[in-house]
Amino acid sequence: MPPAHLNCMPLYFFHVRDGDRLIEYVDGSYLPSLAAACADASASARHVLAKG
């Protein structure tokens, strides 16, 4: 990973709430835009739901 001062993409963190339980993912995702972050979150949610 490049040094922080050279990184131009935002770092997004996705967390999951399951009832009262909160699962926090500490590894963020570098994505070029909010739209990309929403698409990534939607794809991840579909993947989790498909696993049951």
Side-chain angles (χ1 to χ4, degrees), residues 5 7 17 26 32-33 35-36 39:
H5 68 281
N7 191 353
R17 181 168 298 282
V26 296
S33 66

Side-chain angles (χ1 to χ4, degrees), residues 2 5-6 17 19-21 23 26 28 36 38-39 42-43 46 48 50:
H5 68 281
L6 296 179
R17 181 168 298 282
D20 291 335
R21 190 171 132 213
I23 303 166
V26 296
C38 289
S42 295
R46 281 192 299 277
V48 168

Side-chain angles (χ1 to χ4, degrees), residues 5-44:
H5 68 281
L6 296 179
N7 191 353
C8 296
M9 280 201 280
L11 179 60
Y12 293 91
F13 293 87
F14 300 102
H15 306 303
V16 177
R17 181 168 298 282
D18 181 14
D20 291 335
R21 190 171 132 213
L22 177 64
I23 303 166
E24 295 187 54
Y25 291 95
V26 296
D27 296 326
S29 297
Y30 288 100
L31 298 165
S33 66
L34 181 57
C38 289
D40 190 66
S42 295
S44 295

